[in-house]
């Protein structure tokens, strides 16, 4: 494995050079014997860079380079792991699960983590690792994670109570019981994307959201075929800050809800919500209905 060690060393050297170019325009100006002069000090090695400068530099490069930089030396690793709050791994096309397992125990100060996938890679134990170490997480994107089960929701409920934004669109294996459990602990949610969560987004889950997530501002229920009148009414009375509600394809919402007095509930409690009903059966008729005109703010 000497070849692998040499290749890794070369990669780290390239990473160092790239960061130096960002910081000092190539490292040539003000150089002294191959080093970079900065306020009386000469930077010749990785360890010479002040922590504050290092964090400013890594904020300018892509996340793949940030991860490489964290392996340069122990000082860089500690600084980056403690200072990094935003990370996106969507560029990882084949080995995201193992990458998450490796990084989550190190990057414990993350507040935003984007794990959007083109093909399903993440498994429950990766999300459980995130929940075990990243307790400050506020914004999490797990969209298209088809392999995840309710175990992931249970882990997030216990480990990430500060979540304000969660995208689990396309996560078809989640159940309504799992979602209901999540809302009992993650009560700060403001933006929730459940588009395509057919098994999870039911009236039971929406009742849990209405009961526990009073700060919710945006909810996407697109193509959640099991959403009905009871669930949406729970949102109306339990989420007074709701501003955006996507009900595209929610075919179980009945005519009683659409045209009855109960549909005024959003308006009566002062909830000025923008409702999307595109592609819904009878959507044109609904848009011309006086009640909907109130909800849409049309005179």
């Amino acid at each position: 494995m000497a070849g692998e060690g040499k290749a890794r060393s070369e990669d780290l050297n390239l990473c160092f050079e790239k960061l130096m170019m960002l910081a000092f325009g190539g490292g040539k100006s003000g150089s002294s014997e191959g080093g970079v002069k900065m306020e009386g000090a000469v930077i010749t090695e990785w360890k010479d860079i002040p922590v504050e400068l290092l964090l400013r530099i890594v904020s300018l490069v892509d996340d793949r380079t940030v991860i490489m930089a964290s392996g340069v030396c122990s000082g860089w690793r500690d600084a980056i792991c403690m200072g990094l709050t935003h990370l996106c791994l969507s560029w990882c096309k084949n080995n995201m699960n193992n990458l998450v397992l490796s990084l989550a125990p190190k990057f414990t100060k993350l507040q935003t983590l984007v794990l959007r996938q083109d093909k399903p890679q993440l498994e429950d134990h990766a999300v459980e690792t995130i929940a075990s170490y990243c307790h400050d997480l506020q914004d999490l994107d797990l969209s298209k994670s088809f392999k995840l089960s309710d175990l992931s929701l249970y882990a997030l409920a216990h480990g990430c109570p500060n979540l304000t934004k969660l995208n689990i669109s396309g996560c078809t294996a989640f159940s309504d019981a799992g979602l209901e459990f999540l809302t009992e602990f993650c009560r700060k949610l403001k933006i929730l994307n459940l588009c395509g969560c057919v098994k999870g987004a039911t009236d039971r889950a929406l009742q849990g959201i209405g009961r526990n997530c009073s700060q919710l501002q945006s909810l996407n229920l697109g193509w959640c075929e099991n959403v009905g009148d009871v669930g949406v009414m729970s949102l109306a009375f339990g989420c007074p800050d709701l501003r955006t509600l996507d009900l595209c394809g929610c075919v179980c919402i009945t005519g009683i809800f659409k045209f009855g007095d109960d549909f005024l509930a959003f308006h009566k409690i002062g909830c000025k919500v923008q409702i999307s009903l595109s592609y819904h059966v009878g959507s044109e008729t609904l848009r011309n209905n006086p009640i909907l005109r109130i909800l849409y703010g049309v005179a």
Side-chain angles (χ1 to χ4, degrees), residues 165-192:
K165 183 178 181 180
L166 178 63
N167 185 347
I168 52 175
S169 59
C171 296
T172 53
F174 291 152
S175 73
D176 53 2
L179 276 174
E180 183 183 31
F181 185 85
L182 178 76
T183 65
E184 292 178 3
F185 294 86
C186 298
R187 293 173 176 255
K188 298 179 182 179
L189 282 171
K190 294 184 178 180
I191 301 175
L192 181 58

Side-chain angles (χ1 to χ4, degrees), residues 185-257:
F185 294 86
C186 298
R187 293 173 176 255
K188 298 179 182 179
L189 282 171
K190 294 184 178 180
I191 301 175
L192 181 58
N193 191 337
L194 302 178
C195 182
C197 296
V198 180
K199 290 172 57 180
T202 66
D203 284 346
R204 174 182 176 178
L206 297 192
Q207 286 177 310
I209 293 173
R211 185 170 57 251
N212 300 313
C213 302
S214 60
Q215 300 179 47
L216 195 68
Q217 297 176 3
S218 176
L219 178 61
N220 189 335
L221 296 171
W223 313 110
C224 295
E225 301 174 353
N226 294 317
V227 169
D229 300 353
V230 173
V232 180
M233 291 307 302
S234 297
L235 298 175
F237 289 105
C239 305
D241 292 334
L242 195 61
R243 293 293 179 268
T244 304
L245 177 61
D246 192 330
L247 297 174
C248 297
C250 296
V251 295
C252 284
I253 298 175
T254 71
I256 295 175
F257 174 81

